[in-house]
Amino acid sequence: MEQRDWPSEYAELTAADRRAPLPPSELDRLAVAAFVLGHDDEVAAYRERAYEAHLAAGDVVAAIRSGFWLGFHLQKRGELARAAGWQARIVRLVPDGDEQLRGLLTMADAAGRMYSGDAATALPLFEENLQWATTPDTITLANLGRGSCLAMLGRGTEALAALDEAMVHVTSGRVGPEVTGMAYCSVIAMCLDRYDIRRAQEWTSALTGWCDDQAGLVPYRGACLVHRAQILQLRGAWSEAAGAAEDACRRLSPGTVGSAWYRLGEVERQRGHYEAAERAYQTAAADGMDVQPGLARLRAAQGQVGAAIAGIERALAERSPVNRPVLLAAQVELAIDSGDREMARRAATELNELASADSPYLRALAAYSEGAVRVACGDAQGAIPLLRRAWTLWQQLEMPYEGARTRLLVGQACRALGDVDAEQMELDGARAVFERLGAVADLAALDASDHSGLSPRELEVLKLLATGATNRAVAERLFLSERTVARHVSNIFGKLGVSSRAAATAYAYEHHLTG
């Protein structure tokens, strides 16, 4: 795409417009400059003025094109009724026999149907558009629409192929900024939905490079900010991720802002800011967003394991297959935490079945979960190869937090095998990453477990035992069954080398584990 100084162009055009109304072609230019600079509320007004001015000058074709781009902008902003009104207004202007203009309006109709959720009807319209589309912009739009419809219909492989074709035109630099930004965001969203994290990271880097080349361009907006926040979070750039999520919370409108608040909750939870995470999840839920598995993980961190498991089970019963892998991974950890090894095994087995060969992320998640189950079930020797595989994949995906958590499990397995040197090296490696990320909750749990060999849940049980609480009281406090508490108490006795509650309490006080 031609490189422009967008702030200068916008300033010159607005100044000229104040002196005297701009001609219609200049109004179209001003609409693009306003979009690039993030002045979204001005875009529709400039496009509408251009439409009226083209009509007044007798240039019907130019008026139709201005009206089309006006409808495109309104659709992207979620103003579907207003966009449909403009489509109806310009359709009457198309001369008989002008197939290209008729195709342009078919594109608008297809987009309206797609945004309304009718992908089955929209798909053949987009495919028809590909027969007449001749400009890079229209070819790209048709492929983007086709890919989005295929994804909505569950035809993911075909969808990615359509988006790849669209990106060939985008990366050539001949597509306008309005379409280019949407194309990047569409392909990144598709990759994230398919757990193709590496590909999503690559396209995010490409998008960042494109944005850097456009002077003054507001690089991310709307849902694209949420995608960027997720990529930043996965890479361990938590402060930047929180900033992107907060920006999305300000920019997105009700009905779409829930995903931004959920992403902010996820970042705050990982940073150990539990009150901020709670507020973010609540706001996301108020907008209609299902806040699992994030809320369940927060509840577990707050000691409410029963509520956490109930939330995950409800979500697994209701949610689409797209989110099932991350829900299953959370269920594995929560089941281990509550002592329900059978539930953990079932969830890990299903997750392994869902881990496709073309998704390193899902393979890592499945290997980590299976390794965690084996550690919990006493098969440390069998767990280590799985956990090593998961750690290698996390490294390749540049996901440091997940890698550090995996090293903690490797350390537990090494401890069970009596290799205390290897255990300490794994814990030290995890600690260094947690310190760099600012994962305060993980650091606190690591500090406590360093001296006792107890899991975070076992430490919670020990702290309550040290107050003189009965198993029933502990169960009520931690939302566990008495049988699960009894199992934790038995594990605590074994790890500490004691045979009574009094001795366990004495150990807790001697090693400052009661705070």
Side-chain angles (χ1 to χ4, degrees):
M1 190 185 73
E2 176 187 354
Q3 303 300 299
R4 294 179 180 174
D5 184 347
W6 294 106
S8 296
E9 186 163 342
Y10 176 80
E12 291 171 5
L13 289 170
T14 51
D17 194 41
R18 284 193 294 269
R19 292 191 296 270
L22 289 174
S25 60
E26 296 295 277
L27 285 169
D28 283 323
R29 285 181 57 208
L30 180 52
V32 174
F35 170 82
V36 166
L37 297 177
H39 306 313
D40 289 350
D41 292 337
E42 300 177 13
V43 175
Y46 290 135
R47 287 292 191 189
E48 187 168 349
R49 284 179 56 196
Y51 168 85
E52 298 290 354
H54 282 307
L55 273 188
D59 192 344
V60 175
V61 171
I64 291 171
R65 294 190 181 280
S66 292
F68 170 81
W69 289 109
L70 170 56
F72 170 81
H73 179 72
L74 294 172
Q75 284 177 336
K76 290 299 295 175
R77 286 172 60 88
E79 299 181 48
L80 301 186
R82 191 176 169 198
W86 270 97
Q87 182 185 349
R89 187 172 181 180
I90 62 178
V91 71
R92 296 190 296 268
L93 300 177
V94 178
D96 291 338
D98 193 324
E99 293 303 319
Q100 284 213 358
L101 286 179
R102 184 68 60 185
L104 200 65
L105 297 185
T106 301
M107 177 103 73
D109 180 37
R113 293 173 187 270
M114 179 184 71
Y115 284 124
S116 298
D118 187 3
T121 303
L123 177 59
L125 295 177
F126 280 121
E127 291 176 335
E128 178 185 335
N129 291 334
L130 286 170
Q131 304 304 313
W132 61 263
T134 56
T135 68
D137 279 359
T138 54
I139 294 171
T140 300
L141 282 177
N143 274 305
L144 287 176
R146 181 171 178 269
S148 297
C149 288
L150 287 167
M152 292 167 68
L153 295 170
R155 296 160 62 181
T157 302
E158 295 173 79
L160 280 175
L163 292 181
D164 283 342
E165 185 175 347
M167 295 310 292
V168 169
H169 296 278
V170 170
T171 54
S172 73
R174 296 182 293 120
V175 178
E178 292 167 296
V179 178
T180 294
M182 184 181 72
Y184 273 117
C185 287
S186 295
V187 73
I188 291 168
M190 176 79 66
C191 292
L192 290 174
D193 284 344
R194 291 177 61 82
Y195 298 101
D196 193 343
I197 304 301
R198 182 182 296 158
R199 198 173 182 188
Q201 290 171 336
E202 290 173 358
W203 281 120
T204 299
S205 296
L207 172 57
T208 301
W210 174 76
C211 292
D212 289 344
D213 288 339
Q214 307 300 313
L217 180 142
V218 174
Y220 304 96
R221 60 191 76 197
C224 200
L225 274 169
V226 182
H227 303 148
R228 180 168 182 262
Q230 184 174 355
I231 293 296
L232 288 168
Q233 180 188 5
L234 294 176
R235 286 192 165 182
W238 289 353
S239 294
E240 293 89 340
E246 289 167 351
D247 196 6
C249 291
R250 289 189 293 269
R251 290 176 176 269
L252 289 173
S253 56
T256 60
V257 74
S259 61
W261 282 107
Y262 178 78
R263 184 52 47 195
L264 180 60
E266 288 289 86
V267 178
E268 298 293 19
R269 176 182 59 78
Q270 285 190 334
R271 295 204 290 185
H273 302 166
Y274 292 159
E275 290 185 5
E278 178 92 33
R279 290 193 298 270
Y281 289 139
Q282 293 292 344
T283 308
D287 194 60
M289 182 78 181
D290 192 337
V291 292
Q292 298 296 358
L295 182 60
R297 292 187 181 278
L298 176 63
R299 290 287 177 259
Q302 295 168 330
Q304 303 176 39
V305 178
I309 290 175
I312 288 293
E313 289 180 340
R314 189 274 309 157
L316 281 167
E318 293 182 13
R319 294 287 285 272
S320 68
V322 172
N323 296 301
R324 195 165 186 85
V326 292
L327 291 169
L328 288 168
Q331 187 178 43
V332 169
E333 294 189 35
L334 294 172
I336 291 171
D337 208 16
S338 67
D340 192 339
R341 295 175 182 174
E342 186 54 40
M343 177 190 288
R345 285 194 192 95
R346 289 198 306 270
T349 297
E350 183 180 350
L351 177 56
N352 191 59
E353 292 170 353
L354 295 175
S356 59
D358 60 351
S359 174
Y361 174 84
L362 288 184
R363 297 205 311 274
L365 201 61
Y368 172 88
S369 298
E370 177 62 24
V373 171
R374 294 199 180 204
V375 170
C377 295
D379 182 13
Q381 195 71 57
I384 289 179
L386 290 163
L387 295 172
R388 297 288 190 201
R389 185 188 314 157
W391 184 82
T392 299
L393 290 168
W394 295 136
Q395 292 296 103
Q396 292 172 357
L397 292 170
E398 300 181 65
M399 296 174 62
Y401 180 69
E402 287 73 13
R405 294 180 71 240
T406 303
R407 295 195 73 172
L408 288 183
L409 278 178
V410 174
Q412 289 182 35
C414 291
R415 179 199 309 148
L417 295 171
D419 190 346
V420 294
D421 289 333
E423 174 197 1
Q424 195 57 51
M425 285 187 285
E426 296 297 334
L427 297 184
D428 289 345
R431 180 187 300 281
V433 174
F434 290 149
E435 288 175 347
R436 187 176 77 247
L437 296 176
V440 294
D442 293 277
L443 281 171
L446 184 55
D447 286 339
S449 64
D450 269 354
H451 305 293
S452 64
L454 302 180
S455 70
R457 173 61 67 198
E458 289 163 350
L459 280 168
E460 288 183 309
V461 172
L462 176 59
K463 289 176 183 179
L464 292 174
L465 290 182
T467 68
T470 64
N471 282 9
R472 174 174 293 183
V474 173
E476 291 175 353
R477 177 71 179 274
L478 298 181
F479 301 93
L480 301 173
S481 69
E482 285 190 62
R483 185 172 63 179
T484 296
V485 172
R487 187 183 303 117
H488 284 314
V489 171
S490 177
N491 290 340
I492 290 167
F493 286 2
K495 289 182 179 182
L496 300 185
V498 300
S499 58
S500 69
R501 300 167 79 91
T505 298
Y507 182 99
Y509 278 100
E510 288 171 7
H511 292 82
H512 308 290
L513 299 177
T514 58

PDB file of all heavy atoms in Angstrom, residues 303 464 470-485:
ATOM      1  N   GLY A 303      -9.471 -20.762  47.232  1.00  0.00           N
ATOM      2  CA  GLY A 303      -9.781 -21.864  48.132  1.00  0.00           C
ATOM      3  C   GLY A 303     -11.164 -22.453  47.965  1.00  0.00           C
ATOM      4  O   GLY A 303     -11.557 -23.335  48.736  1.00  0.00           O
ATOM      5  N   LEU A 464      -4.928 -24.903  58.304  1.00  0.00           N
ATOM      6  CA  LEU A 464      -6.177 -25.036  59.072  1.00  0.00           C
ATOM      7  C   LEU A 464      -6.029 -26.075  60.179  1.00  0.00           C
ATOM      8  O   LEU A 464      -6.569 -25.906  61.279  1.00  0.00           O
ATOM      9  CB  LEU A 464      -7.327 -25.386  58.127  1.00  0.00           C
ATOM     10  CG  LEU A 464      -7.734 -24.264  57.154  1.00  0.00           C
ATOM     11  CD1 LEU A 464      -8.777 -24.756  56.164  1.00  0.00           C
ATOM     12  CD2 LEU A 464      -8.270 -23.062  57.912  1.00  0.00           C
ATOM     13  N   THR A 470     -11.096 -29.490  62.838  1.00  0.00           N
ATOM     14  CA  THR A 470     -11.368 -30.886  62.506  1.00  0.00           C
ATOM     15  C   THR A 470     -11.418 -31.053  60.991  1.00  0.00           C
ATOM     16  O   THR A 470     -11.476 -30.066  60.243  1.00  0.00           O
ATOM     17  CB  THR A 470     -12.714 -31.332  63.090  1.00  0.00           C
ATOM     18  OG1 THR A 470     -13.759 -30.554  62.468  1.00  0.00           O
ATOM     19  CG2 THR A 470     -12.754 -31.120  64.602  1.00  0.00           C
ATOM     20  N   ASN A 471     -11.426 -32.319  60.544  1.00  0.00           N
ATOM     21  CA  ASN A 471     -11.541 -32.571  59.107  1.00  0.00           C
ATOM     22  C   ASN A 471     -12.830 -31.972  58.548  1.00  0.00           C
ATOM     23  O   ASN A 471     -12.846 -31.437  57.442  1.00  0.00           O
ATOM     24  CB  ASN A 471     -11.493 -34.075  58.825  1.00  0.00           C
ATOM     25  CG  ASN A 471     -10.083 -34.621  58.887  1.00  0.00           C
ATOM     26  OD1 ASN A 471      -9.162 -33.934  59.301  1.00  0.00           O
ATOM     27  ND2 ASN A 471      -9.920 -35.873  58.469  1.00  0.00           N
ATOM     28  N   ARG A 472     -13.904 -32.070  59.315  1.00  0.00           N
ATOM     29  CA  ARG A 472     -15.177 -31.518  58.846  1.00  0.00           C
ATOM     30  C   ARG A 472     -15.067 -29.998  58.701  1.00  0.00           C
ATOM     31  O   ARG A 472     -15.556 -29.426  57.711  1.00  0.00           O
ATOM     32  CB  ARG A 472     -16.302 -31.873  59.821  1.00  0.00           C
ATOM     33  CG  ARG A 472     -17.632 -31.205  59.455  1.00  0.00           C
ATOM     34  CD  ARG A 472     -18.773 -31.674  60.337  1.00  0.00           C
ATOM     35  NE  ARG A 472     -19.058 -33.087  60.073  1.00  0.00           N
ATOM     36  CZ  ARG A 472     -20.060 -33.748  60.661  1.00  0.00           C
ATOM     37  NH1 ARG A 472     -20.833 -33.138  61.566  1.00  0.00           N
ATOM     38  NH2 ARG A 472     -20.268 -35.009  60.368  1.00  0.00           N
ATOM     39  N   ALA A 473     -14.453 -29.348  59.681  1.00  0.00           N
ATOM     40  CA  ALA A 473     -14.311 -27.895  59.614  1.00  0.00           C
ATOM     41  C   ALA A 473     -13.439 -27.479  58.423  1.00  0.00           C
ATOM     42  O   ALA A 473     -13.733 -26.500  57.731  1.00  0.00           O
ATOM     43  CB  ALA A 473     -13.715 -27.370  60.918  1.00  0.00           C
ATOM     44  N   VAL A 474     -12.374 -28.240  58.195  1.00  0.00           N
ATOM     45  CA  VAL A 474     -11.511 -27.951  57.048  1.00  0.00           C
ATOM     46  C   VAL A 474     -12.299 -28.125  55.747  1.00  0.00           C
ATOM     47  O   VAL A 474     -12.200 -27.300  54.827  1.00  0.00           O
ATOM     48  CB  VAL A 474     -10.274 -28.871  57.052  1.00  0.00           C
ATOM     49  CG1 VAL A 474      -9.462 -28.685  55.769  1.00  0.00           C
ATOM     50  CG2 VAL A 474      -9.407 -28.583  58.273  1.00  0.00           C
ATOM     51  N   ALA A 475     -13.071 -29.192  55.681  1.00  0.00           N
ATOM     52  CA  ALA A 475     -13.863 -29.459  54.478  1.00  0.00           C
ATOM     53  C   ALA A 475     -14.839 -28.323  54.201  1.00  0.00           C
ATOM     54  O   ALA A 475     -14.999 -27.876  53.059  1.00  0.00           O
ATOM     55  CB  ALA A 475     -14.608 -30.782  54.630  1.00  0.00           C
ATOM     56  N   GLU A 476     -15.501 -27.828  55.235  1.00  0.00           N
ATOM     57  CA  GLU A 476     -16.458 -26.743  55.057  1.00  0.00           C
ATOM     58  C   GLU A 476     -15.758 -25.455  54.624  1.00  0.00           C
ATOM     59  O   GLU A 476     -16.265 -24.719  53.764  1.00  0.00           O
ATOM     60  CB  GLU A 476     -17.227 -26.518  56.361  1.00  0.00           C
ATOM     61  CG  GLU A 476     -18.187 -27.662  56.709  1.00  0.00           C
ATOM     62  CD  GLU A 476     -18.843 -27.478  58.062  1.00  0.00           C
ATOM     63  OE1 GLU A 476     -18.446 -26.523  58.792  1.00  0.00           O
ATOM     64  OE2 GLU A 476     -19.734 -28.277  58.398  1.00  0.00           O
ATOM     65  N   ARG A 477     -14.605 -25.214  55.200  1.00  0.00           N
ATOM     66  CA  ARG A 477     -13.877 -23.978  54.874  1.00  0.00           C
ATOM     67  C   ARG A 477     -13.372 -23.983  53.436  1.00  0.00           C
ATOM     68  O   ARG A 477     -13.400 -22.953  52.742  1.00  0.00           O
ATOM     69  CB  ARG A 477     -12.702 -23.831  55.840  1.00  0.00           C
ATOM     70  CG  ARG A 477     -11.815 -22.625  55.583  1.00  0.00           C
ATOM     71  CD  ARG A 477     -12.508 -21.319  55.934  1.00  0.00           C
ATOM     72  NE  ARG A 477     -11.632 -20.191  55.704  1.00  0.00           N
ATOM     73  CZ  ARG A 477     -10.742 -19.739  56.602  1.00  0.00           C
ATOM     74  NH1 ARG A 477     -10.653 -20.333  57.793  1.00  0.00           N
ATOM     75  NH2 ARG A 477      -9.981 -18.693  56.318  1.00  0.00           N
ATOM     76  N   LEU A 478     -12.915 -25.146  52.965  1.00  0.00           N
ATOM     77  CA  LEU A 478     -12.311 -25.229  51.636  1.00  0.00           C
ATOM     78  C   LEU A 478     -13.265 -25.791  50.578  1.00  0.00           C
ATOM     79  O   LEU A 478     -12.859 -26.028  49.438  1.00  0.00           O
ATOM     80  CB  LEU A 478     -11.047 -26.105  51.684  1.00  0.00           C
ATOM     81  CG  LEU A 478      -9.917 -25.594  52.584  1.00  0.00           C
ATOM     82  CD1 LEU A 478      -8.721 -26.543  52.524  1.00  0.00           C
ATOM     83  CD2 LEU A 478      -9.493 -24.191  52.171  1.00  0.00           C
ATOM     84  N   PHE A 479     -14.519 -26.003  50.969  1.00  0.00           N
ATOM     85  CA  PHE A 479     -15.530 -26.524  50.032  1.00  0.00           C
ATOM     86  C   PHE A 479     -15.114 -27.878  49.456  1.00  0.00           C
ATOM     87  O   PHE A 479     -15.223 -28.135  48.253  1.00  0.00           O
ATOM     88  CB  PHE A 479     -15.790 -25.528  48.887  1.00  0.00           C
ATOM     89  CG  PHE A 479     -16.277 -24.182  49.338  1.00  0.00           C
ATOM     90  CD1 PHE A 479     -15.371 -23.151  49.566  1.00  0.00           C
ATOM     91  CD2 PHE A 479     -17.615 -23.938  49.562  1.00  0.00           C
ATOM     92  CE1 PHE A 479     -15.803 -21.906  49.985  1.00  0.00           C
ATOM     93  CE2 PHE A 479     -18.064 -22.703  49.987  1.00  0.00           C
ATOM     94  CZ  PHE A 479     -17.153 -21.680  50.206  1.00  0.00           C
ATOM     95  N   LEU A 480     -14.599 -28.743  50.336  1.00  0.00           N
ATOM     96  CA  LEU A 480     -14.188 -30.087  49.950  1.00  0.00           C
ATOM     97  C   LEU A 480     -15.020 -31.110  50.708  1.00  0.00           C
ATOM     98  O   LEU A 480     -15.697 -30.781  51.679  1.00  0.00           O
ATOM     99  CB  LEU A 480     -12.701 -30.307  50.275  1.00  0.00           C
ATOM    100  CG  LEU A 480     -11.689 -29.361  49.614  1.00  0.00           C
ATOM    101  CD1 LEU A 480     -10.299 -29.610  50.180  1.00  0.00           C
ATOM    102  CD2 LEU A 480     -11.689 -29.529  48.103  1.00  0.00           C
ATOM    103  N   SER A 481     -14.934 -32.372  50.283  1.00  0.00           N
ATOM    104  CA  SER A 481     -15.565 -33.441  51.045  1.00  0.00           C
ATOM    105  C   SER A 481     -14.631 -33.859  52.180  1.00  0.00           C
ATOM    106  O   SER A 481     -13.415 -33.663  52.109  1.00  0.00           O
ATOM    107  CB  SER A 481     -15.851 -34.643  50.149  1.00  0.00           C
ATOM    108  OG  SER A 481     -14.639 -35.272  49.757  1.00  0.00           O
ATOM    109  N   GLU A 482     -15.207 -34.453  53.230  1.00  0.00           N
ATOM    110  CA  GLU A 482     -14.369 -34.911  54.343  1.00  0.00           C
ATOM    111  C   GLU A 482     -13.400 -36.009  53.886  1.00  0.00           C
ATOM    112  O   GLU A 482     -12.272 -36.100  54.379  1.00  0.00           O
ATOM    113  CB  GLU A 482     -15.258 -35.436  55.481  1.00  0.00           C
ATOM    114  CG  GLU A 482     -15.941 -34.335  56.269  1.00  0.00           C
ATOM    115  CD  GLU A 482     -16.607 -34.874  57.521  1.00  0.00           C
ATOM    116  OE1 GLU A 482     -15.887 -35.419  58.390  1.00  0.00           O
ATOM    117  OE2 GLU A 482     -17.841 -34.770  57.615  1.00  0.00           O
ATOM    118  N   ARG A 483     -13.844 -36.828  52.936  1.00  0.00           N
ATOM    119  CA  ARG A 483     -12.965 -37.878  52.429  1.00  0.00           C
ATOM    120  C   ARG A 483     -11.743 -37.284  51.730  1.00  0.00           C
ATOM    121  O   ARG A 483     -10.617 -37.762  51.886  1.00  0.00           O
ATOM    122  CB  ARG A 483     -13.724 -38.791  51.470  1.00  0.00           C
ATOM    123  CG  ARG A 483     -12.899 -39.980  50.993  1.00  0.00           C
ATOM    124  CD  ARG A 483     -13.741 -40.959  50.218  1.00  0.00           C
ATOM    125  NE  ARG A 483     -14.284 -40.358  49.005  1.00  0.00           N
ATOM    126  CZ  ARG A 483     -15.049 -41.011  48.126  1.00  0.00           C
ATOM    127  NH1 ARG A 483     -15.386 -42.273  48.356  1.00  0.00           N
ATOM    128  NH2 ARG A 483     -15.488 -40.414  47.045  1.00  0.00           N
ATOM    129  N   THR A 484     -11.961 -36.204  50.961  1.00  0.00           N
ATOM    130  CA  THR A 484     -10.845 -35.541  50.287  1.00  0.00           C
ATOM    131  C   THR A 484      -9.896 -34.929  51.310  1.00  0.00           C
ATOM    132  O   THR A 484      -8.666 -35.025  51.175  1.00  0.00           O
ATOM    133  CB  THR A 484     -11.373 -34.454  49.336  1.00  0.00           C
ATOM    134  OG1 THR A 484     -12.159 -35.081  48.308  1.00  0.00           O
ATOM    135  CG2 THR A 484     -10.233 -33.690  48.693  1.00  0.00           C
ATOM    136  N   VAL A 485     -10.437 -34.320  52.355  1.00  0.00           N
ATOM    137  CA  VAL A 485      -9.594 -33.737  53.394  1.00  0.00           C
ATOM    138  C   VAL A 485      -8.778 -34.826  54.081  1.00  0.00           C
ATOM    139  O   VAL A 485      -7.575 -34.661  54.343  1.00  0.00           O
ATOM    140  CB  VAL A 485     -10.442 -32.961  54.425  1.00  0.00           C
ATOM    141  CG1 VAL A 485      -9.570 -32.527  55.618  1.00  0.00           C
ATOM    142  CG2 VAL A 485     -11.088 -31.752  53.774  1.00  0.00           C
TER     143      VAL A 485
END
